[in-house]
Amino acid sequence: MALLSIRNLHASIGDKEILRGVNLDIEAGEVHSIMGPNGNGKSTLAGVIAGNEKYTVTDGEVIYKGRDILAMPVDQRANEGIFLGFQYPVEIPGVSITNFMRTAVNEQRKYRGLDPLTGSQFLKLMEEKKKVVEMTANLANRSVNEGFSGGEKKKNEIFQMAMLDPTLAILDETDSGLDIDALRIVATGVNHLRRSDNAIIVITHYQRLLDYIVPDFVHVLYEGRIVKSGPKELALKLEKEGYEWLKEL
Amino acid sequence: MAQGIINQYRQAAHDLRKNEVWRNVDFAPQLTDDMVLPTAADDAQLQFWCNIQGLEAHRIAFVNGAFKSDEQSEQSGVVCCTVGEARRSYPELLGKVLAEVGTDGNPYADINGSNATDGLFLYVPDGMTVHQPVQLLSIANSDKSLLLHLRHVVALGRGSSLKLIQCDDSYTQQGAFSNNVLLASLTEGSRLEHYKMQNLNDATALLNQTFVSMQRDASLCSVGITLNGGNIRNHNVVRMTHEGCSTEMHGLYLIDRQQRCDNYVFVDHLAPNCKSHELYKGILDDSAHGVFNGHVLVRDGATKTEAYQANRNILLTDKAFVQSKPFLEIYNDDVKCSHGSTIGQLDNQALFYLMQRGISPRNARTLLLYAFCDEVLRYITVDQLRDKLGDMVKKRLHGELSACLDCALSCSNTCGCTPPEFKIDLSSTK
């Protein structure tokens, strides 16, 4: 059984239908890349899987670990192992990353029937995971995303992914706004977290990221549907020829 | 006697009902006919001290309007006594200060003037820094509804500095009306940090009036935290009479149920090269009613003025209500000024971000509300006080602002209620 199985998914914002029948199957151990022009539903798909109430699902189903999760609250989906790396991470002044993550990690542990981490256990875990994205000590003492550069925000997203160790991670344009060094660090971090028992969906505009995070499958989301799926070479063709040729499909 | 004063208050409210500065002020619900002035029989021991863990402070208390302190000594020229004592022992000094700073002549200040039982007189000589903060506690502890009038005088000599923590608390659930005036004279190069901590029961009204007069290069930082109280008006008037002054005037109000909190700030820029910065933030729950009325006056000749005013509010219910009026009045071209006001709800995208990490909706809301408050708390430079107020804000926010429903002293260890369970550690970044 697939880890994630999306069937005929339709979703809208207000009266505007964005997703018009998405079908997608993802097995544990796979990395899928979703590409496609702006405004065709990539972020909407990510938001619907994570449970953002901004979107209304009008039809279809999202089966995760054998359960339809569309009625499940956002925090419960997160506790079930779904992680969304935000395209625009939110700034939370006055709340340190340490406390934010400690709250999140311990709530997830509680959900899974585990004891909360003690202060020292938590700090040890944090030190370990900071290395995944070459995060400096300084960064973890700051308020969540406040005054962060674009690169720092995206590193912080991957750091959180490392801390929470999700089963399904959706990275929404994690490469946007990154310089080449930050891109390498972020991609290396993601690869480090890649295992046979989890899956990653990488939403991106650029083939460049996929040089570092090599996907098993590439899908093109166009006008609310996946119009083309293929091996990683599909990304190269898109990079070279653009999306124009897809309109004829 | 009390009835006469109550009538004066009612008359004042009537006379000022169309006055832009006072029209939102209505103490009628708390000013009941059974109110009495404190007498010798109301002399109560200080049973509660608003403790700030780890903070060494000079403590001065007024219980039911009566002075309680053993800090009445002079320390290397610092004078710390009652105004009554100052009148006897330091008449010239007191007279000189009162010639420099006065009220704005509002009727409530006049009623205070003619009825004030006493007050604190603090004088810091030239060039002296008082290292330990002075903590001034006013508390009502009576089975009667008391009418309290205190008038404090603070005088800072040239280049001196002082940290003053002014706490207003209730000990019982009995209502009270407290009309306090604080007159502060900041001479050349002096600095006053003035923190106000207000935690009163729902039956109590507080009119806290502060009048500050500032001379060349003086600086003022005032942070007022309103945690609870039936009806609170903070009336702040700052006059920067000479060049180079700087005023930071900030406030945070967390109110719920039927509570009212009204912050008035008048900053008068009379001289060039002065700065003022105001940030008032409020969270309003249930049917709470908040008012922000800020007035910055930049006079002709006050060139190179910098003045910023901001008021931000979060309304948690449809019935919570806030009136926000930032106002700049400028008679000068060469200034940098801005003002702004927002009234809204918690940001849904920020909530989604937190919940996507597995944080429950309730904790996510608390985290965001605390983050909202932190911006004001950051202006507190006394670490122990900031930590204490941070904790109190967390307790207040926990349970959507109603954690200590039956307790006026959510800060106190002596209160009988169970402390709210606070699972998450929300320490702010330093």
Side-chain angles (χ1 to χ4, degrees):
Chain A
M1 186 180 59
L3 176 67
L4 179 76
S5 180
I6 298 173
R7 290 280 160 265
N8 189 33
L9 186 64
H10 290 251
S12 51
I13 302 181
D15 295 337
K16 196 179 172 203
E17 189 173 46
I18 311 281
L19 299 182
R20 301 171 183 188
V22 173
N23 293 291
L24 181 65
D25 283 300
I26 294 176
E27 301 285 346
E30 293 176 348
V31 172
H32 290 239
S33 172
I34 296 178
M35 303 182 80
N38 284 324
N40 279 261
K42 299 189 301 295
S43 289
T44 302
L45 179 61
V48 169
I49 298 169
N52 193 338
E53 289 175 5
K54 197 163 94 178
Y55 309 105
T56 312
V57 175
T58 51
D59 199 6
E61 55 186 22
V62 176
I63 309 291
Y64 170 72
K65 291 183 183 169
R67 286 168 72 184
D68 190 341
I69 57 167
L70 286 175
M72 201 183 270
V74 184
D75 53 321
Q76 195 186 342
R77 294 189 206 191
N79 287 328
E80 287 287 344
I82 295 177
F83 176 91
L84 174 61
F86 281 61
Q87 187 177 358
Y88 304 109
V90 178
E91 296 188 7
I92 314 170
V95 177
S96 70
I97 298 174
T98 311
N99 281 316
F100 170 53
M101 270 296 104
R102 194 171 168 189
T103 306
V105 166
N106 282 339
E107 289 213 31
Q108 294 213 7
R109 288 180 67 86
K110 187 179 165 193
Y111 182 85
R112 290 162 200 167
L114 300 168
D115 287 335
L117 292 182
T118 63
S120 59
Q121 286 170 326
F122 176 79
L123 289 174
K124 197 174 158 221
L125 178 72
M126 209 168 72
E127 285 308 312
E128 187 190 314
K129 301 301 181 187
K130 267 159 59 181
K131 291 180 194 142
V132 172
V133 282
E134 301 177 23
M135 205 182 225
T136 60
N138 187 23
L139 199 59
N141 288 328
R142 289 160 60 180
S143 293
V144 179
N145 294 322
E146 190 189 31
F148 282 25
S149 68
E152 284 176 317
K153 282 184 182 172
K154 297 302 172 73
K155 276 194 209 174
N156 188 25
E157 292 296 285
I158 304 306
F159 164 69
Q160 292 176 38
M161 174 179 163
M163 289 295 290
L164 298 170
D165 191 21
T167 310
L168 174 67
I170 306 156
L171 306 178
D172 190 4
E173 296 200 24
T174 297
D175 53 336
S176 66
L178 293 187
D179 63 38
I180 202 76
D181 288 333
L183 181 77
R184 181 190 49 77
I185 291 169
V186 162
T188 308
V190 173
N191 285 332
H192 183 80
L193 300 170
R194 200 170 168 172
R195 288 200 310 260
S196 61
D197 61 349
N198 64 19
I200 302 171
I201 299 174
V202 181
I203 294 173
T204 183
H205 276 294
Y206 304 106
Q207 149 66 22
R208 196 180 62 172
L209 177 67
L210 305 180
D211 285 341
Y212 295 98
I213 307 171
V214 182
D216 298 298
F217 299 95
V218 174
H219 309 277
V220 181
L221 192 61
Y222 181 71
E223 291 185 341
R225 285 186 198 92
I226 288 177
V227 294
K228 181 89 184 162
S229 295
K232 61 181 189 285
E233 289 75 18
L234 176 58
L236 290 168
K237 182 176 163 72
L238 291 168
E239 182 87 355
K240 212 163 120 194
E241 300 176 18
Y243 295 113
E244 207 53 32
W245 59 280
L246 288 165
K247 292 179 184 171
E248 286 145 35
L249 292 176
Chain B
M1 175 101 180
Q3 192 58 47
I5 298 170
I6 291 166
N7 290 341
Q8 287 178 33
Y9 278 116
R10 288 179 182 156
Q11 187 62 43
H14 180 77
D15 294 345
L16 293 169
R17 69 195 185 282
K18 290 185 178 166
N19 181 299
E20 199 50 42
V21 174
W22 290 96
R23 65 187 179 88
N24 288 310
V25 177
D26 179 14
F27 293 114
Q30 289 81 24
L31 268 172
T32 48
D33 287 327
D34 63 345
M35 298 202 98
V36 293
L37 293 171
T39 63
D42 294 304
D43 188 18
Q45 287 307 305
L46 180 62
Q47 288 173 299
F48 161 76
W49 185 266
C50 189
N51 278 313
I52 299 165
Q53 204 181 2
L55 183 70
E56 296 283 325
H58 301 291
R59 295 168 160 195
I60 290 132
F62 285 87
V63 181
N64 299 339
F67 187 69
K68 303 271 167 192
S69 176
D70 49 11
E71 299 275 349
Q72 211 168 349
S73 58
E74 281 181 48
Q75 297 171 333
S76 43
V78 175
V79 179
C80 174
C81 63
T82 64
V83 172
E85 173 64 25
R87 226 176 258 129
R88 288 188 292 277
S89 306
Y90 311 96
E92 281 176 29
L93 191 54
L94 181 66
K96 189 167 161 274
V97 176
L98 293 178
E100 276 163 18
V101 57
T103 72
D104 59 358
N106 75 69
Y108 293 101
D110 290 346
I111 298 172
N112 171 284
S114 45
N115 295 291
T117 45
D118 212 336
L120 172 69
F121 178 69
L122 256 180
Y123 169 75
V124 184
D126 290 356
M128 182 172 290
T129 296
V130 180
H131 293 290
Q132 287 187 5
V134 173
Q135 196 180 358
L136 169 61
L137 169 69
S138 306
I139 190 163
N141 179 9
S142 173
D143 53 5
K144 287 172 277 189
S145 298
L146 296 178
L147 260 179
L148 300 168
H149 300 89
L150 291 172
R151 199 176 187 90
H152 310 294
V153 179
V154 174
L156 300 190
R158 287 192 183 133
S160 68
S161 78
L162 174 73
K163 293 174 181 171
L164 176 66
I165 304 168
Q166 188 178 7
C167 305
D168 282 282
D169 289 278
S170 316
Y171 188 72
T172 63
Q173 290 300 323
Q174 188 68 42
F177 177 63
S178 184
N179 175 359
N180 294 330
V181 167
L182 187 141
L183 301 168
S185 160
L186 275 57
T187 57
E188 232 177 275
S190 62
R191 173 170 173 83
L192 175 65
E193 289 178 29
H194 187 196
Y195 303 110
K196 297 178 197 174
M197 192 162 151
Q198 301 168 339
N199 195 15
L200 299 154
N201 67 40
D202 281 17
T204 290
L206 170 68
L207 171 57
N208 183 307
Q209 308 198 55
T210 305
F211 301 93
V212 184
S213 174
M214 297 168 73
Q215 294 178 6
R216 193 184 173 95
D217 297 330
S219 73
L220 168 71
C221 177
S222 168
V223 184
I225 311 289
T226 303
L227 290 161
N228 207 80
N231 190 355
I232 292 177
R233 157 80 160 197
N234 288 303
H235 185 82
N236 301 293
V237 175
V238 178
R239 294 185 199 281
M240 295 191 278
T241 59
H242 294 72
E243 273 197 65
C245 292
S246 145
T247 296
E248 297 268 340
M249 178 75 70
H250 310 299
L252 175 69
Y253 40 101
L254 310 179
I255 51 175
D256 60 1
R257 302 189 286 276
Q258 309 287 326
Q259 298 170 356
R260 282 177 69 103
C261 180
D262 176 336
N263 284 297
Y264 171 79
V265 184
F266 175 62
V267 178
D268 196 349
H269 283 259
L270 292 120
N273 291 307
C274 292
K275 289 180 189 172
S276 68
H277 179 200
E278 290 163 40
L279 174 65
Y280 278 79
K281 300 184 93 171
I283 301 174
L284 298 95
D285 199 358
D286 301 329
S287 302
H289 181 176
V291 178
F292 172 76
N293 191 345
H295 182 184
V296 172
L297 173 60
V298 182
R299 303 213 187 219
D300 187 18
T303 51
K304 310 281 182 200
T305 289
E306 281 186 39
Y308 308 103
Q309 241 184 352
N311 176 226
R312 317 227 171 276
N313 299 280
I314 291 179
L315 302 185
L316 296 176
T317 67
D318 290 345
K319 286 186 179 155
F321 176 53
V322 67
Q323 288 163 290
S324 178
K325 193 186 154 203
F327 175 47
L328 296 170
E329 189 181 357
I330 304 169
Y331 298 98
N332 195 327
D333 290 335
D334 189 9
V335 299
K336 268 195 228 172
C337 293
S338 72
H339 63 327
S341 168
T342 56
I343 299 170
Q345 283 81 41
L346 279 180
D347 178 0
N348 280 332
Q349 284 315 296
L351 276 173
F352 174 64
Y353 186 70
L354 295 175
M355 294 190 293
Q356 210 297 308
R357 300 302 182 244
I359 297 174
S360 68
R362 185 162 184 245
N363 277 340
R365 289 169 66 85
T366 313
L367 267 167
L368 289 181
L369 290 174
Y370 183 73
F372 177 82
C373 299
D374 185 74
E375 202 189 348
V376 174
L377 295 174
R378 277 181 203 195
Y379 288 106
I380 300 172
T381 62
V382 180
D383 293 345
Q384 299 91 338
L385 178 66
R386 190 182 53 244
D387 291 348
K388 158 102 177 172
L389 282 169
D391 283 347
M392 288 171 74
V393 165
K394 286 167 202 167
K395 284 183 184 171
R396 187 76 172 93
L397 293 175
H398 198 82
E400 314 293 332
L401 295 188
S402 295
C404 282
L405 190 67
D406 299 318
C407 177
L409 300 175
S410 55
C411 62
S412 159
N413 300 327
T414 62
C415 88
C417 70
T418 320
E421 190 190 359
F422 209 71
K423 286 190 212 94
I424 54 176
D425 177 9
L426 297 175
S427 315
S428 67
T429 52
K430 291 292 179 322

